[in-house]
Amino acid sequence: MKVDLAIIGGGPAGLSAAITAKNNGVETILVIEREPSLGGILQQCIHNGFGLEYFKEELTGPEYAERFMRQLLASGIHFLTETMVYEITGEKVVKAVNKTQGLMLIHAKSIILAMGCREKPRGSIALPGSRPAGVMTAGTAQRYINIEGYHVGKKILILGSGDIGLIMARRLFLEGAEVIAVAEILPYSGGLARNIVQCLHDYDIPLLLSHTITDLSGKDRVEEVTLSQVDCDLRPIKGTERKYACDTLLLSVGLVPENELSKLAGVQIDLETGGPIVTADLETSVPGVFACGNVLHVHDIVDHVTLEAQQAGTSASRYLQGLFIRDSATMSFKASKKTQYSSSKDEMICILCPVGCSLSVKPVGDEITVTGNKCPKGREYAVSELTSPKRTLTSTVILQHADLSRLPVKTDKPLKKELVLEAMSIINQTIVSSPIKSGDIIISGILGTDVNIVSTRSIP
């Protein structure tokens, strides 16, 4: 098989790069995805918060992915799902395999690497203690509960305060689990401030900063975890040990760009980021091979992945048209340092966008004075939070007669915060059948309000 452009990965980076390349005149494009459907990790990220910068509206992961999937289908770009790429050669030959076509050799004139990233497992952090069942990464738990419909545990402790860990703390709490705490070895959280507010503070889940696990025990399944405080050198402080009974431990201890294929192709890797060394045009050390998204460096926001992938798609199209001038200058990417979240009775964090403005709120007579907001919505949020706090609720309902067991849903407008748990009990008992389109009303006027529960994914 011969193509002009092969894109490895059908997640947000791969989809955006493919559409951009097509719009720039590239004729034969092939997107290769190992999962049964396009969309990548976004399909299991049923929470909201995506698209605020790119689409100027708040979407869930499946909704964000579907917008690009529709564009891809409309443009006639070819794609393969359930197809595993096991090697890329320096001559830009992609070796892949699937159940229907068997072994394939795809000769590409140009390649875009968009394989995303993976979670750090237990072995990468030398977690002490025995090795019982019940220890898994937060992303694995996210897939189990949001895609497969399995409950991962009843009494859960989370190590690491990255965004995935914070979001799973809320998700598991809403599904009825007891989330004991989120422990973080650093003196500040690795997640967005808005997620600390809406995922932990909303449900009184403790965030234990400067803490790590110093022992883990259990025969068949996790039974107990020991947490200790750490000093400024991140070493456990003797005498601070505290034991917590639990049956599940989730690890949210960082992400690593997925670059085994890149190395096979001879691409030079940045030892600091774990991603390819690229030029300003996102070209790797191998001419005609470009990289974008989380395979290049881990992004906090998917909107930035999309913009970067569009740049890669443009560069690949220029390369194929002979308009590309190789730039020897390289770019380096470094993770931004998180700031420690702090609050007082007169302060709050706005959760309406990833910026997470720190608001100062003071009643002045009958008025409420709000400062620190970077947009008018910040004041609206602060007033609402003081008078009648509301939250967008995302969850899943049982899906019958389809390849998936769960359908992601959300409220079509924020619901009063005090009604969230009661609404969850109704959602958990709801059963639907396909076909369903994204945006279809699943539950009309839940709890007698004007808020509907709507689908966030299309199921044929």
Side-chain angles (χ1 to χ4, degrees), residues 273-418:
T273 65
I277 296 173
V278 295
T279 68
D281 294 305
L282 301 182
E283 187 183 32
T284 69
S285 58
V286 178
V289 177
F290 301 83
C292 60
N294 286 341
V295 78
L296 182 56
H297 64 110
V298 177
H299 296 64
D300 286 331
I301 302 172
V302 73
D303 305 61
H304 298 167
V305 169
T306 295
L307 295 172
E308 188 175 84
Q310 289 176 340
Q311 181 184 355
T314 300
S315 295
S317 65
R318 292 174 59 243
Y319 174 85
L320 291 167
Q321 295 164 13
L323 303 175
F324 189 82
I325 299 176
R326 184 169 176 79
D327 183 0
S328 59
T330 61
M331 299 174 67
S332 62
F333 299 93
K334 296 183 179 180
S336 58
K337 182 178 180 180
K338 306 290 182 180
T339 57
Q340 182 174 350
Y341 172 78
S342 63
S343 65
S344 69
K345 63 181 181 179
D346 296 327
E347 295 181 354
M348 65 175 66
I349 296 294
C350 179
I351 66 172
L352 297 183
C353 79
V355 173
C357 294
S358 180
L359 307 178
S360 178
V361 185
K362 295 182 179 180
V364 180
D366 295 332
E367 297 292 325
I368 296 175
T369 300
V370 180
T371 57
N373 53 304
K374 296 181 180 179
C375 73
K377 290 184 178 180
R379 186 183 189 283
E380 296 175 13
Y381 168 78
V383 173
S384 173
E385 193 70 3
L386 288 177
T387 58
S388 180
K390 298 178 180 179
R391 295 291 184 267
T392 297
L393 175 60
T394 62
S395 187
T396 62
V397 297
I398 300 171
L399 180 61
Q400 290 186 330
H401 313 303
D403 293 336
L404 296 176
S405 63
R406 295 282 167 165
L407 174 74
V409 297
K410 71 172 186 179
T411 53
D412 61 357
K413 62 183 72 173
L415 182 71
K416 287 186 176 180
K417 187 177 173 181
E418 67 264 25

Side-chain angles (χ1 to χ4, degrees), residues 11-29:
L15 293 173
S16 184
I19 294 164
T20 301
K22 186 70 173 181
N23 292 339
N24 279 275
V26 180
E27 295 183 2
T28 57
I29 302 173

Side-chain angles (χ1 to χ4, degrees), residues 97-316:
V97 64
N98 62 28
K99 291 185 290 187
T100 57
Q101 293 159 289
L103 176 64
M104 293 173 285
L105 297 180
I106 302 164
H107 297 263
K109 296 179 182 177
S110 182
I111 294 174
I112 294 179
L113 304 173
M115 294 88 69
C117 58
R118 67 176 185 269
E119 294 177 281
K120 291 181 181 178
R122 172 176 180 164
S124 68
I125 60 170
L127 190 69
S130 57
R131 301 187 65 84
V135 180
M136 67 189 77
T137 64
T140 298
Q142 186 182 58
R143 181 179 180 89
Y144 279 154
I145 196 168
N146 291 343
I147 300 292
E148 309 296 342
Y150 298 128
H151 288 279
V152 298
K154 296 180 180 179
K155 198 168 185 178
I156 298 167
L157 191 141
I158 300 174
L159 178 63
S161 64
D163 288 312
I164 300 176
L166 299 176
I167 288 165
M168 284 308 297
R170 174 183 61 183
R171 182 77 179 102
L172 291 163
F173 178 89
L174 292 176
E175 286 292 335
E178 178 186 353
V179 182
I180 301 169
V182 175
E184 170 61 54
I185 193 171
L186 296 174
Y188 52 85
S189 171
L192 297 172
R194 71 192 295 253
N195 284 334
I196 297 174
V197 173
Q198 62 184 341
C199 297
L200 300 187
H201 292 181
D202 275 1
Y203 306 104
D204 296 322
I205 299 172
L207 173 60
L208 305 177
L209 298 174
S210 298
H211 280 73
T212 192
I213 292 177
T214 49
D215 195 17
L216 182 153
S217 62
K219 184 177 180 182
D220 297 320
R221 189 176 179 90
V222 178
E223 297 174 3
E224 188 177 75
V225 168
T226 301
L227 289 179
S228 299
Q229 295 181 31
V230 299
D231 60 20
C232 59
D233 295 318
L234 307 184
R235 292 177 299 191
I237 302 173
K238 291 184 178 181
T240 63
E241 299 86 354
R242 185 175 178 183
K243 298 181 183 297
Y244 295 84
C246 63
D247 61 22
T248 305
L249 172 65
L250 299 191
L251 304 178
S252 178
V253 293
L255 302 168
V256 181
E258 184 72 74
N259 275 293
E260 279 68 23
L261 291 174
S262 308
K263 295 173 185 176
L264 290 173
V267 170
Q268 294 181 12
I269 302 298
D270 187 311
L271 296 180
E272 183 175 354
T273 65
I277 296 173
V278 295
T279 68
D281 294 305
L282 301 182
E283 187 183 32
T284 69
S285 58
V286 178
V289 177
F290 301 83
C292 60
N294 286 341
V295 78
L296 182 56
H297 64 110
V298 177
H299 296 64
D300 286 331
I301 302 172
V302 73
D303 305 61
H304 298 167
V305 169
T306 295
L307 295 172
E308 188 175 84
Q310 289 176 340
Q311 181 184 355
T314 300
S315 295

